[in-house]
Amino acid sequence: MLFRSRRYGSELVELGRHDEHSKLSELVGWCGPLAELGPEEVFLEAAVPQLAEIVRRFLGQEAERAAEGPGHDLVTAARILKHLVAGSTRSAGAPSELCQQQAAVALYSCDLVATLTALLVRISGDHEQPALHTATFVGARGQVIVAVLHPVLASLRAVLHLVIQCRDSDYRDLTCVPALLRTYTLLSVVPASSLYYGQARAASRELEAALLTFSQPSLDLATGTVAASLWSRMMAEVVQYATSSPQAYTSGLSLLSALLPLPRQIGRAHV
């Protein structure tokens, strides 16, 4: 999809503007970032601040308009950010691993970790009781929500991995964890009958990988304790969340089982 947008971005925008009453007019919203920044320039590292502004624009909307859900331009902006920092290096036109790391640094410098965390808080806050919104994830609104969450979680995972890898035990920030936990509960209510179930599960795996990045820092037992490690503090947040309310119990235990390492098999001596 992004490859076609990059190659035919201008043509798609013109096609959408040709008839405002046609279904094709939705292309204007989907291709909004391409029309605003340029079909080629939007895929460059230099476009990260402008893409971040599109995300902040949604967060700054009035409550009435924000209640309508994420717009198509936000979906495209999130997908491009994911392409820049976490896209497959094997696909055609994909940035190299070094370019992805540079884009991740640019994304972190723009304070996009806090911005994307605020976006997760906004989306999960609009669905305070996720079990009551199961039907939402069968329709078009649910499609847009899942389409935003998947690239946002992938981008967060890539940036957190690089930052924690660089700062090691000096990294102590857990502010994004509560938003990730609430988002996991929201994704867990997507029914298996939904067309977006597969993408929701892929988003959940990205979220699990984002939390697993907190296991990277090395621990020196001579100067610190296991309980004070970043991994232990993150897992304490997960346990506290799982026991905080009935609606978080099942998803919290599921996430806990996905994060904990499997027990080692104990071999028995043959007699």
Side-chain angles (χ1 to χ4, degrees):
M1 175 62 184
L2 285 180
F3 174 73
R4 295 188 182 93
S5 299
R6 184 173 188 175
R7 186 171 183 178
Y8 305 109
S10 301
E11 290 81 355
L12 290 173
V13 172
E14 289 300 323
L15 184 62
R17 290 174 177 172
H18 182 69
D19 186 0
E20 297 181 356
H21 304 287
S22 171
K23 185 68 173 177
L24 291 173
S25 62
E26 294 183 2
L27 288 171
V28 176
W30 286 105
C31 299
L34 282 74
E36 184 176 342
L37 306 176
E40 288 291 337
E41 293 79 0
V42 74
F43 290 95
L44 301 177
E45 176 191 330
V48 169
Q50 288 79 10
L51 293 171
E53 189 58 35
I54 294 176
V55 180
R56 296 190 183 99
R57 196 184 305 162
F58 169 75
L59 294 174
Q61 288 179 358
E62 297 179 356
E64 294 78 6
R65 187 178 178 186
E68 300 176 1
H72 295 160
D73 58 338
L74 180 62
V75 177
T76 303
R79 286 175 173 173
I80 294 174
L81 286 172
K82 174 183 177 292
H83 170 77
L84 290 174
V85 301
S88 173
T89 56
R90 298 179 181 179
S91 58
S96 64
E97 184 176 353
L98 180 59
C99 291
Q100 288 184 355
Q101 291 178 353
Q102 292 175 342
V105 171
L107 196 148
Y108 185 75
S109 301
C110 293
D111 202 24
L112 257 180
V113 172
T115 301
L116 296 181
T117 301
L119 178 61
L120 296 179
V121 171
R122 167 70 68 84
I123 294 176
S124 59
D126 291 339
H127 307 82
E128 285 290 347
Q129 294 179 296
L132 300 179
H133 300 276
T134 302
T136 301
F137 293 99
V138 182
R141 178 184 171 92
Q143 176 196 15
V144 176
I145 293 174
V146 175
V148 168
L149 291 179
H150 185 202
V152 164
L153 292 170
S155 300
L156 271 177
R157 186 260 308 161
V159 175
L160 287 174
H161 175 79
L162 181 63
V163 173
I164 297 175
Q165 187 181 54
C166 293
R167 298 188 61 184
D168 199 55
S169 57
D170 290 334
Y171 189 85
R172 312 291 295 174
D173 190 4
L174 292 174
T175 53
C176 66
V177 173
L180 291 172
L181 298 178
R182 293 175 62 186
T183 303
Y184 191 86
T185 300
L186 181 62
L187 289 169
S188 67
V189 303
V190 178
S193 58
S194 173
L195 293 174
Y196 329 118
Y197 178 78
Q199 189 175 16
R201 297 283 69 79
S204 297
R205 289 191 293 270
E206 290 287 357
L207 192 152
E208 294 166 2
L211 292 175
L212 285 173
T213 59
F214 290 96
S215 65
Q216 291 183 102
S218 56
L219 177 63
D220 187 1
L221 294 177
T223 58
T225 62
V226 176
S229 66
L230 186 65
W231 168 254
S232 299
R233 291 171 53 224
M234 186 276 293
M235 291 301 294
E237 291 270 356
V238 177
V239 173
Q240 182 181 0
Y241 174 76
T243 57
S244 62
S245 64
Q247 67 180 12
Y249 187 72
T250 303
S251 62
L253 289 181
S254 175
L255 179 60
L256 194 63
S257 64
L259 295 177
L260 289 175
L262 294 175
R264 295 183 61 183
Q265 293 183 353
I266 300 177
R268 291 185 301 175
H270 296 284
V271 180

